[in-house]
Amino acid sequence: MTKLFPVLGASLMIAACSSTLDSVTADTLITDVDIIDVQSGEVRPDQYVAIRGEEIIWVGDNAEHIQALKTLDGTDQYIMPGLWDMHVHFGGGEKLIAENRDLLPLYLAYGVTTVRDAAADISESVLQWREQINNNTLVGPTLYTSGPKLEGKGSIWAGDLEVETEEEMNAALDQLQAMNVDFIKITDSALTPELYLKAVKEVKKRGLPISGHIPFALSVTDVSEAGLDGIEHMPYLLKAGASNEAEISAKVKSGELGYWSALPIIRANFDEQVALSKYRVLAENNTAVVPTLIGSQIIAHIDEDNHQNDPELALLGSGLKATYSWRVERAEQKAAADPNEVTERKARFAATRDLLPLLAHANVTIMAGTDTGYLNSYIYPGKALHDELAIYVQGGLTPLQALQSAVLTGPKWLGKSAQYGAVASGKKADLLLLNSNPLEDINNTRDIATVFSHGKAYNQQRIQTLLEQAKAKVAAQEAEEKH
């Protein structure tokens, strides 16, 4: 006789009596653990999860037929898929390649089992790390990357593929496809709006996902209709809600307004109903949004906390820490030039954060991302994702919605939902074992007992070892630099 029970939206057939089941050998059996279904928000108590290699091979409430090399007691603990950070950067030039590589274990220490690299200037190394991680020769999260991003001639960012004609754009896309990138990243510091739209449409013809910044001379609906799959950063969503967005876009295109001078006008003319109408277009076109709010919060409140006493600084190489000064100095210069700047940037951060419930109401896909990386001050690898999720809840999302943004939407966007997003048989064993329930308090994602990634289990002792090794390496580097 068989018993039906659902696991994360699917149904598994198991035998009520173990004698009717063939014996199954697992590397690890987690016993009596509560499974969090991130799709539905349900918790299934007292379950068993069997792992072999990098795969979950069995989930159920009776494990008598499982022969495990190791058993892990999950009593009073919660298990869920590992977290995804859908916007990180590895960069800063060849001198910082080693420091960037040393960040990889930090993601695992904080339960981030997958990251999406959104372009910088050391793409060749990042592509190598992607393969080394997949081959288990390098410790780090599963890594997806855009490679170098698409930009116009004279881009402000290092490492871009710069184009100014349709022929150059197609050649750049050929190059990216030859590199076997996972998606295309496009930005607008020097790319014309016309070529931007052509590039988006061409990428969609080639069957690749594409995300990026948006020229302020275009609207979010313009780029969504062209096929943009992802919008990076929230100010574009604030602009979409301006009742005079078309006028602002025209003034940006003519040069009368720039990005920074347009922002106060946008906020002053924000209309919730206008915003909802635009957001529904994004939802219909499956254009996702990556908010990256933690960096905005840090800079908005840099006058209150300069982050010089953050313990996480001890985990970062001196070269990477030196790049943090760029955004801080810019914020200080703007504040010195305009006495209203500090008040304005705090209000702007709050306004963008408070868009989250509107996006959710319009059924826009929200993908958690942090902008962690060089140049982006005090956004720490791994830890920042927990900070980002906390902001989402502060902004009006439920803990479940915040979890979904870091567990479900990233795999879906990259076409990996068959492998990730649930604690179920056949899924990747990228898992997070927690001591407390994040559905009750989103900050419980920080209460980590064990992280599972690429066939390895990192309990608190092994996590502390990863952190101590990082600290020791940085301390040795800085001591050498002093001499």
Side-chain angles (χ1 to χ4, degrees):
M1 179 177 178
T2 57
K3 174 183 175 184
L4 257 179
F5 67 98
V7 177
L8 302 178
S11 293
L12 294 178
M13 296 291 291
I14 68 166
C17 176
S18 62
S19 62
T20 64
L21 287 174
D22 293 331
S23 178
V24 175
T25 302
D27 295 327
T28 302
L29 177 66
I30 306 169
T31 66
D32 300 297
V33 69
D34 294 351
I35 294 176
I36 295 175
D37 179 345
V38 181
Q39 182 70 52
S40 68
E42 295 177 354
V43 177
R44 295 191 55 80
D46 303 323
Q47 298 292 295
Y48 295 78
V49 179
I51 299 169
R52 185 192 299 136
E54 299 184 22
E55 185 181 342
I56 301 170
I57 60 169
W58 188 83
V59 175
D61 59 7
N62 184 331
E64 293 180 5
H65 67 296
I66 302 291
Q67 304 296 317
L69 300 177
K70 178 181 178 181
T71 299
L72 183 62
D73 184 6
T75 302
D76 296 326
Q77 293 180 324
Y78 299 83
I79 195 165
M80 60 174 281
L83 301 170
W84 287 45
D85 188 334
M86 288 293 284
H87 192 123
V88 310
H89 294 285
F90 299 100
E94 289 188 8
K95 292 182 179 180
L96 297 187
I97 287 175
E99 289 189 21
N100 277 273
R101 186 180 60 242
D102 290 343
L103 301 179
L104 293 168
L106 300 181
Y107 287 101
L108 295 183
Y110 287 95
V112 177
T113 55
T114 303
V115 300
R116 185 187 66 146
D117 168 56
D121 57 353
I122 57 170
S123 293
E124 184 176 338
S125 294
V126 175
L127 286 161
Q128 290 174 358
W129 301 340
R130 181 184 67 178
E131 301 313 311
Q132 290 168 347
I133 290 169
N134 289 341
N135 294 330
N136 267 321
T137 58
L138 181 66
V139 173
T142 298
L143 202 164
Y144 296 99
T145 181
S146 67
K149 66 180 183 291
L150 202 63
E151 252 289 4
K153 295 287 186 183
S155 165
I156 63 172
W157 308 110
D160 292 345
L161 294 181
E162 297 185 2
V163 303
E164 61 181 356
T165 66
E166 199 165 343
E167 292 73 22
E168 290 177 344
M169 176 263 290
N170 278 302
L173 293 178
D174 290 343
Q175 181 179 339
L176 290 168
Q177 287 189 282
M179 295 168 71
N180 194 29
V181 299
D182 299 295
F183 71 106
I184 302 296
K185 172 80 177 290
I186 184 169
T187 56
D188 65 320
S189 79
L191 193 63
T192 66
E194 294 76 18
L195 191 54
Y196 180 103
L197 290 174
K198 287 180 179 179
V200 171
K201 292 174 182 177
E202 176 61 27
V203 171
K204 296 313 298 175
K205 286 181 186 177
R206 295 178 181 226
L208 287 168
I210 179 169
S211 72
H213 300 185
I214 301 172
F216 256 33
L218 298 172
S219 71
V220 294
T221 49
D222 289 334
V223 297
S224 179
E225 296 289 5
L228 192 72
D229 297 299
I231 298 171
E232 310 292 337
H233 316 302
M234 286 291 266
Y236 305 110
L237 282 303
L238 194 64
K239 176 176 175 284
S243 58
N244 59 341
E245 185 190 17
E247 178 186 345
I248 292 169
S249 294
K251 288 184 176 180
V252 170
K253 190 170 185 177
S254 69
E256 187 177 344
L257 285 176
Y259 177 87
W260 292 108
S261 58
L263 288 175
I265 300 170
I266 288 167
R267 196 167 64 79
N269 288 277
F270 183 81
D271 183 286
E272 186 172 305
Q273 293 307 311
V274 171
L276 281 170
S277 68
K278 302 286 183 63
Y279 299 166
R280 290 188 183 106
V281 173
L282 301 185
E284 290 169 4
N285 293 331
N286 294 315
T287 304
V289 174
V290 188
T292 65
L293 290 171
I294 179 59
S296 299
Q297 183 186 68
I298 288 168
I299 293 299
H301 295 274
I302 199 73
D303 60 307
E304 302 166 31
D305 183 359
N306 64 12
H307 294 274
Q308 294 309 296
N309 295 318
D310 289 354
E312 293 79 16
L313 288 172
L315 302 171
L316 305 179
S318 59
L320 284 171
K321 283 183 286 198
T323 70
Y324 281 2
S325 63
W326 177 68
R327 289 197 190 276
V328 175
E329 289 172 359
R330 185 176 69 176
E332 290 172 345
Q333 290 166 2
K334 292 181 70 174
D338 181 357
N340 297 317
E341 169 60 21
V342 173
T343 300
E344 172 61 27
R345 72 189 182 209
K346 289 178 181 179
R348 186 166 62 243
F349 163 72
T352 54
R353 178 198 62 199
D354 294 345
L355 297 177
L356 289 164
L358 296 180
L359 291 168
H361 182 70
N363 293 318
V364 174
T365 296
I366 299 171
M367 300 193 298
T370 62
D371 221 2
T372 296
Y374 79 115
L375 297 178
N376 295 330
S377 313
Y378 314 116
I379 309 175
Y380 302 114
K383 176 185 179 293
L385 188 65
H386 301 277
D387 299 334
E388 183 82 9
L389 297 183
I391 292 171
Y392 293 176
V393 174
Q394 293 163 10
L397 297 187
T398 66
L400 177 60
Q401 288 172 320
L403 289 181
Q404 289 171 339
S405 76
V407 171
L408 300 180
T409 57
K412 182 178 179 182
W413 194 86
L414 284 163
K416 305 295 181 181
S417 293
Q419 299 167 274
Y420 299 96
V423 183
S425 180
K427 298 285 189 179
K428 286 280 189 180
D430 281 9
L431 300 168
L432 196 53
L433 188 62
L434 301 171
N435 295 311
S436 45
N437 187 353
L439 294 172
E440 296 174 355
D441 182 342
I442 193 61
N443 288 300
N444 288 340
T445 57
R446 306 173 196 264
D447 193 7
I448 296 171
T450 306
V451 178
F452 297 87
S453 172
H454 292 280
K456 298 182 180 67
Y458 298 87
N459 59 17
Q460 267 302 311
Q461 183 178 353
R462 292 189 71 181
I463 287 171
Q464 288 306 312
T465 297
L466 290 179
L467 296 175
E468 290 303 323
Q469 287 173 341
K471 287 181 184 178
K473 184 174 283 191
V474 170
Q477 175 199 17
E478 292 181 344
E480 185 177 341
E481 289 170 354
K482 287 180 181 178
H483 293 86

